[in-house]
């Protein structure tokens, strides 16, 4: 129970990696604010599941692509629980598209969630976080590998690593650590829908197992719980001298 007594916010927490992170932090003793964008049902189902296991959690609606909703989310969490110690910014969206097909609307949609969403939820949390507070943003292996037609998403995730690097000294003055995780392919809806695009277009009909073998030394996808374990480490006292870093959790990217 390394996080006993801590209050944590996890964005995009009703499914996929966010759900695993929320579950892991709650199981370590944190009270967890489960952020969802629109559909309250899966978020409330997760809250019920966690409560039934004796863990503390509550659902909070906010679209992180809207800076005012990021602020309202943090205000509501602090009103409800009295303070906040940990922010995990996990919400994100995928995009594949050829250069000539990318529209200003695509750019706005992807960057408003993956970049502005992570920046403004960080700004909102930083207004409340005490010394010892922890922030984890979500980058991706995609920030440092070339994939066909992945420019928008990869650029948005590369921005996240630059943000944590540059926010580290500013937040460090207040004793707050900020890092990013860079997952590789992880078994979620996002990977199910987009996994096959992570290879040369001529090879996209290969069986998924062949693609997996060619992409990670461990020759399998990550499970969301394996990503959550790294986040639990980063927000714990065991990571007290780590800030400004982007940690790869990619099974040994090939
Ligand atoms: N899966 C991978 O292979 C992989 C690899 C590297 C990095 N990542 C990153 O890891 C994070 C989680 O990915 P995942 O695979 O778990 O994705 P996912 O299964 O598609 O889930 C994404 C989550 O983000 C939420 N979300 C999206 N836009 C939001 C918004 N505007 N406001 C609040 N919540 C929003 C979604 O809520 P709704 O249910 O409302 O849509 C959902 O809960 C993302 O940042 C992703 O880019 C994933």
């Amino acid at each position: 129970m390394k996080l006993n007594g801590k209050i944590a916010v996890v964005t995009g927490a009703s499914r996929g990696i966010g759900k695993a992170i929320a579950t892991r932090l709650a199981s370590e003793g944190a009270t967890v604010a489960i952020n969802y964008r629109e559909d309250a049902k899966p978020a409330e189902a997760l809250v019920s599941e966690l409560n039934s296991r004796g863990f503390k959690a509550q659902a909070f609606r906010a679209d992180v692509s809207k800076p005012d909703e990021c602020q309202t989310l943090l205000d509501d969490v602090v009103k409800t629980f009295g303070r906040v110690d940990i922010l995990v910014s996990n919400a994100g969206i995928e995009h594949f598209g050829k250069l000539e097909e990318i529209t200003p609307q695509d750019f706005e949609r992807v960057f408003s969630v993956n970049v502005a969403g992570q920046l403004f939820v960080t700004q909102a949390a930083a207004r409340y976080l005490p010394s010892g507070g922890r922030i984890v943003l979500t980058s991706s292996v995609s920030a440092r590998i070339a994939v066909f037609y992945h420019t928008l998403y990869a650029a948005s995730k590369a921005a996240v690593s630059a943000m944590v690097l540059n926010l580290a000294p500013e937040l460090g003055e207040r004793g707050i650590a900020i890092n990013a995780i860079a997952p590789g392919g992880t078994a979620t809806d996002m990977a199910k829908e987009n996994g096959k695009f992570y290879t040369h277009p001529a090879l996209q009909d290969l069986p998924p197992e062949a693609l997996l073998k060619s992409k990670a030394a461990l020759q399998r996808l990550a499970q969301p719980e394996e990503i959550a374990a790294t986040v639990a480490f980063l927000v714990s006292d065991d990571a007290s001298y780590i800030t400004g870093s982007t940690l790869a959790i990619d099974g040994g990217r090939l």
Side-chain angles (χ1 to χ4, degrees), residues 6-211:
K6 302 282 186 195
I7 310 294
V9 179
V10 183
T11 68
S14 51
R15 62 192 173 100
I17 294 172
K19 179 178 179 179
I21 293 170
T23 303
R24 176 65 187 253
L25 300 192
S27 73
E28 300 259 3
T31 297
V32 184
I34 310 279
N35 161 247
Y36 65 96
R37 174 176 46 173
E38 225 169 51
D39 184 3
K41 263 196 197 146
E44 293 296 354
L46 177 58
V47 168
S48 301
E49 182 197 322
L50 294 177
N51 289 344
S52 73
R53 292 166 64 186
F55 304 149
K56 289 169 244 148
Q58 191 170 315
F60 292 83
R61 198 207 67 77
D63 179 341
V64 298
S65 71
K66 300 181 176 150
D68 57 326
E69 295 197 16
C70 291
Q71 189 59 54
T72 307
L73 169 64
L74 270 295
D75 292 346
D76 288 348
V77 169
V78 172
K79 259 181 231 149
T80 306
F81 299 123
R83 57 165 216 287
V84 62
D85 304 289
I86 294 163
L87 167 70
V88 182
S89 165
N90 160 80
I93 56 173
E94 253 289 14
H95 178 271
F96 279 90
K98 293 182 180 179
L99 176 61
E100 64 270 26
E101 290 166 355
I102 296 172
T103 64
Q105 290 76 17
D106 291 333
F107 181 89
E108 171 60 25
R109 192 171 52 83
V110 174
F111 272 65
S112 72
V113 179
N114 292 2
V115 183
Q118 302 214 61
L119 177 66
F120 288 109
V121 82
T122 296
Q123 183 189 65
R127 292 192 172 113
Y128 289 113
L129 287 172
S131 177
R134 296 295 163 83
I135 302 172
V136 178
L137 306 189
T138 303
S139 178
S140 168
V141 68
S142 301
R144 57 189 171 83
I145 57 167
V147 174
F148 276 86
Y149 318 136
H150 210 207
T151 306
L152 258 193
Y153 179 83
S156 74
K157 292 299 188 178
V160 174
S161 296
M163 286 197 300
V164 300
L165 192 60
N166 288 274
L167 285 171
E170 198 175 330
L171 294 168
E173 285 190 323
R174 294 173 45 202
I176 298 167
I178 180 166
N179 294 289
I181 53 165
T186 305
T188 67
D189 296 341
M190 188 180 277
K192 216 176 292 164
E193 285 155 24
N194 298 286
K196 70 173 185 175
F197 300 125
Y198 277 82
T199 190
H200 189 284
L203 302 176
Q204 282 169 8
D205 290 333
L206 281 179
E209 313 80 64
L211 177 61

